[in-house]
């Protein structure tokens, strides 16, 4: 099946009184069902934006042999890519509880996009990465809506090895861009990744 979910990471298991401090994003899950076996296998990819800055700079153009104005957009995102093993109870019923174990990478990236004068665009770049190995377990529930569509809800706990829950984050307000369009991140700071994550979404069986 393929699932699209809204996800949010949390530092505690307490139910928040407001959603002001929540960090929302999206996750795409592909799962190959094994009707005869115990485990289904799949891949889960997630993206959670947490920062954005737009700058106006002069960049050198070899084509024009001159400097041209450019609007440069920086975006900070939390990302993850996990391989999943899932076992499901009552696979042919309307309510399907399941449990998962997973492993992969998790961290932050900064991407840059360039829009030049005259609506010309340059290919985007990956300006900064800080990724670590992560693993964990999850429990969830699929509720059948139609023959092929399911409402999905899932909570998980994530773990890391040897301080792997620390990532290097750059302050977008301190970033500078040189005339070649290269990013100078300056000083970075360490941030702790949240150990819990929750999601809700729709899944489609094929």
């Amino acid at each position: 099946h393929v699932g699209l979910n809204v996800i949010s990471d949390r530092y505690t298991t307490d139910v928040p009184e407001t959603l002001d401090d929540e960090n929302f994003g999206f996750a795409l899950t592909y799962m190959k069902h094994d009707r005869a076996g115990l485990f289904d296998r799949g891949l889960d990819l997630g993206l959670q934006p947490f920062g954005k800055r737009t700058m106006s700079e002069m960049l050198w153009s070899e084509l024009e042999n001159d400097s041209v104005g450019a609007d440069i957009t920086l975006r900070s995102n939390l990302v993850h890519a996990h391989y999943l093993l899932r076992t499901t109870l009552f696979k042919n019923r309307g309510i399907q509880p399941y449990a998962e174990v997973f492993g992969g990478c998790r961290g932050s990236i900064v991407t840059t996009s360039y829009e030049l004068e005259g609506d010309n665009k340059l290919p985007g770049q990956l300006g900064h990465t800080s990724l670590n190995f992560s693993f964990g377990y999850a429990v969830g529930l699929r509720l059948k809506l139609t023959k092929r569509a399911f409402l999905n809800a899932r909570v998980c706990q994530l773990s890391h090895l040897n301080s792997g829950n620390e990532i290097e984050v750059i302050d977008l307000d301190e970033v500078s861009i040189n005339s070649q369009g290269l990013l100078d991140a300056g000083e970075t700071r360490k941030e702790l990744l949240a150990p819990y994550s929750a999601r809700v979404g729709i899944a489609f069986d094929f």
Side-chain angles (χ1 to χ4, degrees):
H1 79 258
V2 174
L4 180 62
N5 300 274
V6 176
I7 60 176
S8 176
D9 290 351
R10 293 204 43 79
Y11 287 92
T12 71
T13 56
D14 296 335
V15 177
E17 295 180 1
T18 70
L19 297 179
D20 293 342
D21 297 326
E22 292 297 280
N23 185 26
F24 290 100
F26 298 94
L28 179 66
T29 303
Y30 169 77
M31 187 71 63
K32 184 176 182 181
H33 290 291
D34 185 348
R35 299 297 181 184
L38 179 62
F39 290 104
D40 300 329
R41 295 168 173 81
L43 184 66
D44 185 65
L45 305 174
L47 177 71
Q48 295 166 260
F50 68 92
K52 179 180 177 181
R53 180 188 177 195
T54 299
M55 311 166 60
S56 295
E57 300 286 343
M58 299 299 293
L59 302 182
W60 179 256
S61 171
E62 294 184 357
L63 182 62
E64 300 291 339
N65 197 30
D66 197 2
S67 295
V68 296
D71 290 329
I72 304 169
T73 302
L74 309 173
R75 292 182 174 88
S76 295
N77 304 279
L78 294 175
V79 296
H80 73 258
H82 289 142
Y83 180 75
L84 309 175
L85 286 177
R86 175 188 292 181
T87 183
T88 304
L89 298 176
F90 317 127
K91 287 187 177 182
N92 298 317
R93 303 291 180 86
I95 299 177
Q96 302 176 6
Y98 64 85
E100 291 178 349
V101 292
F102 57 83
C105 63
R106 183 179 181 224
S108 69
I109 63 172
V110 174
T111 60
T112 59
S113 59
Y114 306 87
E115 185 170 348
L116 306 180
E117 293 176 348
D119 293 330
N120 295 318
K121 294 186 177 182
L122 293 176
Q125 296 182 10
L126 190 61
H128 173 80
T129 61
S130 179
L131 301 173
N132 294 321
F133 175 71
S134 67
F135 59 96
Y137 64 91
V139 292
L141 185 71
R142 298 203 325 156
L143 178 62
K144 193 171 186 178
L145 301 177
T146 68
K147 182 178 179 180
R148 300 282 184 186
F150 294 80
L151 177 67
N152 179 63
R154 173 185 183 262
V155 293
C156 74
Q157 181 169 353
L158 300 113
S159 300
H160 305 81
L161 297 176
N162 298 327
S163 301
N165 61 332
E166 290 185 350
I167 56 173
E168 299 285 343
V169 176
I170 66 174
D171 185 348
L172 296 186
D173 292 331
E174 300 298 326
V175 168
S176 60
I177 305 288
N178 66 21
S179 62
Q180 304 300 315
L182 299 179
L183 182 150
D184 181 1
E187 295 290 332
T188 62
R189 69 179 189 274
K190 291 186 179 294
E191 294 283 352
L192 293 178
L193 291 167
Y196 306 104
S197 184
R199 66 177 61 185
V200 64
I202 298 291
F204 298 93
D205 286 358
F206 297 101

